Amino acid sequence: MAGLIRKRREKSGFSTSQLASLAGVDPGQTSRILDGQFRTISGNVLRICNTLGFDPHTEARAESGNQAKKNAAWAKLEASVRRAWDETSLDADRLVAVIDAVAKIKPRKRGKEFNVDTSSVRNPLR
């Protein structure tokens, strides 16, 4: 949640002191909130979030759901790599080369055109 609050503050262009003043929260407390030094969505956290234009309860649920999806995807990927690996360092190097090759040709952002330069991709089967 703190990361989201920080990102929203940066996007808003408010300084920490401006945000504190607009939210009606002590500047020191605002700094602590931006640093993630809170456990619950207190009144001060709520005021800061409202000032930045979002509901922390809704965002927390969405963030939690997104993290669960990422965790599940990572577990699936890890299981696949473990099945493919024969537990030797040579095979590990080969798998790393394959994954790095995929990363080099994979588009970074959806919907963006990209050029593929495969000249530096080595054959992992050598």
Side-chain angles (χ1 to χ4, degrees):
M1 177 60 64
L4 178 61
I5 294 170
R6 273 193 307 276
K7 285 179 189 174
R8 292 286 186 112
R9 186 207 50 88
E10 290 167 4
K11 188 175 178 180
S12 74
F14 296 141
S15 68
T16 301
S17 60
Q18 288 172 321
L19 177 59
S21 177
L22 289 168
V25 176
D26 178 82
Q29 182 64 24
T30 300
S31 291
R32 286 187 288 280
I33 290 168
L34 291 171
D35 288 340
Q37 297 176 13
F38 63 92
R39 293 181 195 197
T40 62
I41 299 175
S42 66
N44 287 337
V45 172
L46 187 58
R47 282 191 283 283
I48 288 172
C49 292
N50 287 338
T51 300
L52 293 172
F54 72 97
D55 177 356
H57 300 293
T58 302
E59 293 294 330
R61 282 191 297 276
E63 191 174 279
S64 175
N66 289 339
Q67 190 58 49
K69 288 178 185 176
K70 285 180 185 178
N71 290 346
W74 178 253
K76 184 177 176 181
L77 176 62
E78 183 180 21
S80 181
V81 169
R82 286 184 185 279
R83 280 191 305 276
W85 183 39
D86 71 5
E87 298 187 23
T88 65
S89 62
L90 177 60
D91 201 42
D93 290 342
R94 288 179 175 154
L95 288 169
V96 167
V98 168
I99 292 169
D100 286 345
V102 169
K104 286 181 181 180
I105 64 171
K106 184 179 152 198
R108 293 286 177 225
K109 304 257 181 180
R110 287 185 182 162
K112 301 275 185 180
E113 291 188 29
F114 65 99
N115 295 322
V116 177
D117 176 13
T118 58
S119 63
S120 65
V121 177
R122 69 179 183 88
N123 184 342
L125 302 177
R126 287 188 201 157

